Amino acid sequence: MQVEGQIVDIIYKNEINSYTVATFETVEGEELTIVGYLPFVNEGDNLKVTGNMVTHPDYGEQLKVEIFEKTMPKTKEALEKYLANGNFKGIGPATAKKIVNTFGEDTINVIKMEPQKLTQIKGISKEKALEIAEQFIANWEIWQIVGFLDQFGIGPQSAETVYKKLGENALEKIGENPYILIDVASKVNFEKVDSIALKLGIDPDNYTRIRSAIKYGLERIGLNGHSTVLYENLLKFVQDLLRIDANNIEEAIISMKAKEEIIIEEREDGTEWVYAKPFYEAEKNIAERLISLKNSENIKYISTLKKDLEKIEKDINIELSDKQREAIESVNDNNVCIITGGPGTGKTTIIKAIIELYKKHGMKPVLCAPTGRAAKRMTETTGEEAKTLHRLLELAGISDDNENFNTDLLVTPIDGDIIIVDEASMLDMFLMNYLLKAIYKGTKLVLVGDINQLPSVGPGSVLKDIIESEKIHTITLNQIFRQAAKSKIIVNAHRVNEGQNFISGNVKQTIIDDENIDLLDDFFFIQENNQEKIQQTIISLCKGRLQNYGNYDFFNNIQVITPTKKGKLGTKELNILLQNELNPEEEDKKERNFGEVVFREQDRVMQTKNNYNILWEKENEREFKKELGNGIFNGELGRIDKINKEDKTIRVKFDDGKIATYESTDLDQLEHAYAITVHKSQGSEFDVVILVAAQSAPMLLTRNLIYTAMTRAKKLLIIIGSKSVVDYMIQNNTTKHRNTGLKFKLEKLS
């Protein structure tokens, strides 16, 4: 059905994706509830909507909007509401009424074409009249752009970016050349852009069309973790996409190369690899800066190392193995060093000893990690403050969009003598580039990580490439220490990493020298194939069974981890189930609906993207004062402390003590975290992990994924699910290969 009318009340609006529930008054005077994605629509706006009537189980009949068109108000009353809807600074209901009473049906033309006439209204100066006109035109332009761009898969936020980049004539520019969207927005639906461009009469062999397809292809490979693509593979992708002669594509590639929009790297085996320029620059910078740092004078060398280590062992009550001593000597002998190894191999002890060693000589160690939880864990295990790399480098306001990576970005130089980066396997190529840019020559850099874990979310394979290049001194820790070897969690993690099945009792273990070690009861495998029974078992473990077993409380100690978001054992459904069981609806608990999600006070939540601008406060227990700052980053976990219904804000207290208040516009960055994916758990540790071995896409059922999940548990690990799924994951060592060039670039440099 199609109806025309006016928005009289907005019941709910998601400020990010513009999902709206509103009361709509038709021109016939009938009131309807309409629901749908209505970007830049406000109370007082006039719309022509097309959709279907649906019945909601709680809210009754609603018109679900499929298509809508914003129209100009047709009556004086409608025009008054439109002007008074809050979009026009300086116009309230009283002023709106005066304007409409003065100019009647000509009001819109006056505002757009002759704004100086508005000065007839008391209180409106010439400057204010021009400002009203500018706001009116800009508001209308933005809305038209949003409506137009929605067909390309570009949401309201990105649409605003497009408007800012292209200006007031954005629609005209897009109409003349739809492919301009590939340059000014990310994740654009190329096929739709292309379809519209061809309908406008653009020649299939047009250079702009081919160039945009090449850029689109390179963006796609970045989103899949690669930094580069084989020339012939890019050629085939673009040819399949555009269905044109390959010679025309090759000519466009030559032209883009000449303009340095893309870089073609020829390797020693004769292959040619194509890069988007920012990706190539990032790899090149990493390689050059690493080698430069490595070859700098070793001005932090400690000549009394052996004697110092003997004293440090006594002072902090540790006993270093030969391999750990070798690692510390390697740090002393080299400006850049990598320490890699699995759980229980002594990485933390090495870090502690290095910190003490350099502090003893009046030098400043700097500790950091890619994520907030990894930095928090580093602080807890060492007793020294560790920061996230984003905070350390003060990367406020940078784009998370790979396409907008800025090789010229100014970063804050790091004030330290030795920089230790934990969880280095999580470093993507862009973050690594920023880090190296901030390090002075002569400063030592130690990368600590486990290359058998999942790779970084962003593009590149930084730690793996550096190790495989053999250009940077690397110590591989492969001995499990006696105390760690008591843990079935650690023993089984190493067995899985070697392709072996779990052990379930005190049996001889091939990876432990001493077969008489009594294993702790910190690992259980509950075999169950029925998904509903798995759900119920997870709930019972979280609700009380583990409280009785080890005094483990869900909100303080337990984390459910699963490979997938989808299905009965994915995060979406498990979060709903666990919220209902662990934090049910109560009269004195405030709630906030956000689309289909219900946020409730005391909910466990996670930040899902880097937000550099959100403000936070924190009690500094060491200095007995309040600390203020900005920035909450992807993966940080917390609980909803308070929901304010009046100003529609949600206050979250994060696990590291930061308290941040979320406005409506930020709520899409929060999601429930009763259950999280393995990828989101990386860099974190939890006392108890309940790992779901759920059937899902084969690309998720890999050895490094189950290994990463297992190594998140500190005190207790419970794996629940199908034995066949577990067996498949352990044997599936075909980790997704990433096409990169960092190893090649390092090998070329001396």
Side-chain angles (χ1 to χ4, degrees), residues 57 185 197 215 228 240 259 264 271 322 420 470 637 686 716 741:
K215 287 198 72 176
T228 186
D240 290 346
K259 294 173 183 174
I264 298 177
T271 56
D322 291 343
I420 305 170
E470 298 182 357
L637 288 164
F686 309 94
L716 179 63

Side-chain angles (χ1 to χ4, degrees), residues 371 426 452-455 457 559-565 569-571 606 635 671 675-686 689-694 696 699-712 717 729:
T371 68
M426 298 179 72
N452 294 307
Q453 289 188 23
L454 291 167
V457 175
Q559 182 62 59
V560 178
I561 299 177
T562 180
T564 182
K565 292 181 179 180
L569 299 177
T571 54
M606 174 186 275
E671 64 181 33
I676 61 176
T677 63
V678 179
H679 285 85
K680 288 289 187 186
S681 75
Q682 207 171 349
S684 302
E685 270 191 351
F686 309 94
V689 166
I690 299 170
L691 172 59
V692 185
S696 54
M699 64 181 290
L700 293 173
L701 301 179
T702 61
R703 183 186 297 175
N704 66 346
L705 186 130
I706 191 171
Y707 172 76
T708 300
M710 291 172 71
T711 54
R712 301 308 93 205
L717 171 63
M729 293 177 85

Side-chain angles (χ1 to χ4, degrees), residues 527-537 569 721-722:
Q527 190 174 334
E528 180 57 69
N529 295 326
N530 183 285
Q531 293 190 336
E532 284 81 5
K533 285 183 180 177
I534 292 174
Q535 286 181 340
Q536 291 310 310
T537 304
L569 299 177
S722 161

